[in-house]
Amino acid sequence: MLRLLARTDTGPVTAAVLAVLLVLVAVPLQPRVTTTLATAFALALAAIGVDLAGAYGGQFLFGQFGFVAIAAYATAYFDHHVGLPFALAALLALVVVAVAAAVLAAAVVRLAHFGAALATFFFGSVVAALLTATWLESITNGESGVPSPAPRLAGVDLASGRAVYVFAWLLLVAGTFVTFRYIRSRSGRALMLTKRSSAVAKVMGIHVQREGASVIVVAALLAGAGGVIYALTSGYLAPEGFATQESTFLVAMAAVGGFGTIAGPILGAIFFTLIPELLNASGSTESIIFAAALLLVLVLEPQGLYGFVARLVKLAQAASRAPARSPVPVPVRRALSCGSAGEPKASVSPRRRAHRSVRTHPRNWIYAAPRSVTAGSTRSRT
Amino acid sequence: MTLLLSTIIAGIGLGLIYGLLAFSFALIFKTTSVANFAAGNMAMFGAFIIYRVIQDAKVGLGAGIAIGLAIAAVLGALIYLCALRPRDDAGSMNLLIRTQAVSLLLFGIAFQLWGAGEPFNFPSVSPTSSLNIGHVIVPWSTLVNAGVSAVLALAFSWFFYRTDTGLMFRGVAESPDVARLLGVRTRRLSAIAWIIATVVAVLVGVLVAPTAFLSPDMMDSFLLGAITASVLGGLTSLAGAFLGGICVGIISDIAAVYSGSTNAVLATFGLLLLVLFVRPMGLFGKPIAERI
């Protein structure tokens, strides 16, 4: 698993974040904080799903909390009413989520533009409405909700304190691992090509709609795993906890953390769950501050928390490496001129500079001197 | 039979509301490629402003609406300039969530300032009574909605097909890059699109508020209807938005009358899925050919 993480761009950071979260177990935190963090892990799993489908598959899931709700209620139902052991109940809940996701995905993948965002947003609202529907009352118990399951695993109460934290952490690690495996699998690569150009993907023989549907199912299963944790930590499952805007928050977590980074959504989820705890303001003031902060982050740091951290790391590296770098270009005194004979139209001062068209790769350089232009990359040390 | 006819007529009235909101949605989507999830709460916010203007400044409904629409124009420009304009190259996902953040912000502010004592009774622009034609009931609000929609549709078709700015709008919708190369100031057009879309959304708020009662979450169900309408209409078709809205309105109203409001949401969602299976590009959209 570590080798897999090391092979991807964002793997090392993700591994580091997960390791830090494991170390937190040893810190004697208040039980309330431990439970809050476990909830954050549940949301992180769902947000990773949003990230996976959005950044890698180009399908924006705005109803992801619907899957969390389905998994949480299904776990509670199989645990209480049917009387299955908790592990089996959780597995069955994931099956239910997968079926729901497959039906939704079959329709969603056919849409162009923002169709996926709109249709899944609607799906989230439908799930929220169904939680209070009369004909589902035997499962959801309507407005009054259902108590969450309180399983015991090997004599340990899994629903409280440190146990649920470790359980949530393990599921988060498993979810992260599955995500990285998926990205690097044949399906994952096909998916990324599809996002870039579905026409090219089709020509290459990729079943575009099937790959698009499969990523939605995987994302939903991640949300489902989050839902299982959520069922444990929330204490009581009631419709208010599953409002439509929760799905929006999941997307916001992925965005604030940094899209396409996997570690980003985890950071975003922790950030989002801890801020309300810290603010401790009244409901509406909190939501104003929250929305304004979200907007600020989106405008000021489009790469999210992950991008911010990555930039800090890069700055630190540049600062420590700067004196050691020797100048590559040979000093030339005459300016290079180009244009028709005798009439210079433009001149390039003879020094190393990044070529405009390759500005996205700062290591590439082009060196212009009279009668010779050399280009290369500092990475290959030409 | 008369019940069904009355329901269909009420559904058309509701559908025109969805259509207007979907139109506001499609306008921004066409010009800026941003799906504006704040459309619903923009309508709610505008309705609240008009309500406060009428209550506090003691003006009539007409004057209140006029002042409110002017404020809405400023609000639309502000939203674009503050939230969407800075770093507008950050990617469609980033911009999409910015509109969500704007939506949350508007909701939060409305709840903080005016949340106490909601829902409020909003004065209606149309008489609350209805016309009875035979045994079929035609509510005045449906007629008013139809009138407003017709006026707006005529005004915008004149704007898009008879003015220079409208031509630029169509150019940007066709191909933003080419339009920019030809000297169209696309950002200025985006600002205009946001202003128009906000004004239309607030108009929707005025039409909705008397029946839905004024509260911070009054637009939630309407946003869903509008979203379905624009998907049905093919996302980029302005006329499709209205037709899609009418379809959604009729279906959801029939479902609501005959089997309850939860099932109306389900029926609308079922309609959405069904249409997507049969015609993924929407009822009135064109299939997209991809250029490599």
Side-chain angles (χ1 to χ4, degrees), chain A residues 180-245:
Chain A
F180 273 109
R181 274 309 286 260
Y182 187 83
I183 293 169
R184 292 190 59 82
S185 73
R186 200 183 165 81
S187 288
R189 287 197 299 267
L191 194 70
M192 283 185 259
L193 178 62
T194 307
K195 192 199 171 200
R196 201 149 249 229
S197 165
S198 67
V200 171
K202 269 179 206 156
V203 171
M204 303 277 285
I206 292 168
H207 201 307
V208 168
Q209 295 194 346
R210 195 171 58 203
E211 299 299 346
S214 82
V215 75
I216 291 180
V217 174
V218 172
L221 283 174
L222 287 169
V228 171
I229 303 173
Y230 199 84
L232 289 178
T233 56
S234 60
Y236 205 84
L237 302 175
E240 305 95 82
F242 297 93
T244 321
Q245 66 262 32

Side-chain angles (χ1 to χ4, degrees), chain A residues 60 110 114 122 198 284 300, chain B residues 29 93 112 228 276-277 290:
Chain A
F60 304 133
R110 303 164 69 86
F114 284 107
F122 203 134
S198 67
S284 56
L300 295 180
Chain B
F29 184 75
M93 197 63 202
Q112 172 86 352
T228 318
L276 295 185
F277 273 116
E290 195 177 345

Side-chain angles (χ1 to χ4, degrees), chain A residues 272-299:
Chain A
F272 268 49
T273 29
L274 286 185
I275 277 196
E277 295 277 316
L278 297 176
L279 277 179
N280 208 8
S282 75
S284 56
T285 321
E286 184 196 303
S287 64
I288 293 176
I289 297 175
F290 177 82
L294 175 60
L295 201 55
L296 267 183
V297 172
L298 289 169
V299 172

Side-chain angles (χ1 to χ4, degrees), chain B residues 193-212:
Chain B
W194 270 92
I195 291 172
I196 297 175
T198 313
V199 170
V200 173
V202 170
L203 216 51
V204 170
V206 171
L207 295 176
V208 164
T211 44

Side-chain angles (χ1 to χ4, degrees), chain A residues 60 62 107 110-114 118 121-122 125-126 197-199 248 251 255 259 284 288 291 298-300 302, chain B residues 29 33 37 87 93-94 96-98 100 104-105 108 111-112 224 227-228 235 266 269 273 276-277 280 288 290:
Chain A
F60 304 133
F62 269 88
R110 303 164 69 86
L111 284 163
H113 304 306
F114 284 107
L118 300 179
F121 181 72
F122 203 134
S125 313
V126 166
S197 165
S198 67
T248 312
V251 186
F259 258 109
S284 56
I288 293 176
L298 289 169
V299 172
L300 295 180
Chain B
F29 184 75
S33 304
F37 274 89
R87 299 210 189 175
M93 197 63 202
N94 185 287
L96 185 62
I97 303 163
R98 284 189 203 176
Q100 287 273 21
L104 290 174
L105 194 60
F111 199 84
Q112 172 86 352
L224 284 184
I227 282 174
T228 318
L235 284 172
L266 276 182
F269 188 56
L273 288 187
L276 295 185
F277 273 116
I288 300 155
E290 195 177 345

Side-chain angles (χ1 to χ4, degrees), chain B residues 2-292:
Chain B
T2 50
L3 176 63
L4 183 66
L5 262 180
S6 304
T7 313
I8 288 177
I9 287 168
I12 292 174
L14 182 67
L16 287 169
I17 296 277
Y18 292 155
L20 277 174
L21 203 55
F23 173 81
S24 155
F25 197 86
L27 184 66
I28 290 180
F29 184 75
K30 265 187 100 137
T31 37
T32 64
S33 304
V34 172
N36 174 26
F37 274 89
N41 280 346
M42 279 168 14
M44 174 275 295
F45 201 76
F48 259 113
I49 288 176
I50 292 173
Y51 181 73
R52 288 322 318 176
V53 166
I54 292 171
Q55 293 290 312
D56 298 345
K58 303 269 186 285
V59 293
L61 181 61
I65 291 175
I67 297 171
L69 291 184
I71 297 177
V74 177
L75 179 73
L78 268 182
I79 291 176
Y80 175 71
L81 289 179
C82 299
L84 276 305
R85 172 67 185 78
R87 299 210 189 175
D88 50 6
D89 55 349
S92 53
M93 197 63 202
N94 185 287
L95 296 177
L96 185 62
I97 303 163
R98 284 189 203 176
T99 67
Q100 287 273 21
V102 168
S103 180
L104 290 174
L105 194 60
L106 291 177
F107 182 86
I109 294 173
F111 199 84
Q112 172 86 352
L113 292 181
W114 309 303
E118 51 111 5
F120 300 100
N121 277 318
F122 193 87
S124 177
V125 281
S126 51
T128 44
S129 60
S130 7
L131 279 176
N132 286 338
I133 303 170
H135 291 287
V136 179
I137 302 162
V138 182
W140 271 107
S141 61
T142 300
L143 296 177
V144 169
N145 293 352
V148 171
S149 307
V151 168
L152 280 183
L154 284 177
F156 281 113
S157 60
W158 173 80
F159 176 68
F160 284 124
Y161 290 94
R162 292 279 181 275
T163 64
D164 286 352
T165 320
L167 183 67
M168 287 182 204
F169 266 111
R170 285 188 290 142
V172 170
E174 192 81 19
S175 167
D177 292 335
V178 174
R180 201 175 296 124
L181 281 175
L182 291 174
V184 175
R185 306 186 64 168
T186 46
R187 279 174 176 149
R188 184 183 288 176
L189 282 192
S190 301
I192 297 174
W194 270 92
I195 291 172
I196 297 175
T198 313
V199 170
V200 173
V202 170
L203 216 51
V204 170
V206 171
L207 295 176
V208 164
T211 44
F213 296 111
L214 191 56
S215 70
D217 55 359
M218 77 171 181
M219 292 306 294
D220 287 1
S221 64
F222 289 92
L223 183 63
L224 284 184
I227 282 174
T228 318
S230 53
V231 172
L232 290 192
L235 284 172
T236 54
S237 157
L238 296 181
F242 277 106
L243 293 172
I246 291 173
C247 294
V248 176
I250 292 174
I251 301 271
S252 71
D253 229 26
I254 289 177
V257 166
Y258 288 94
S259 71
S261 62
T262 313
N263 291 343
V265 179
L266 276 182
T268 320
F269 188 56
L271 175 74
L272 181 71
L273 288 187
L274 193 72
V275 170
L276 295 185
F277 273 116
V278 185
R279 275 186 71 85
M281 71 296 277
L283 291 176
F284 310 100
K286 293 190 203 82
I288 300 155
E290 195 177 345
R291 209 172 283 148
I292 304 170

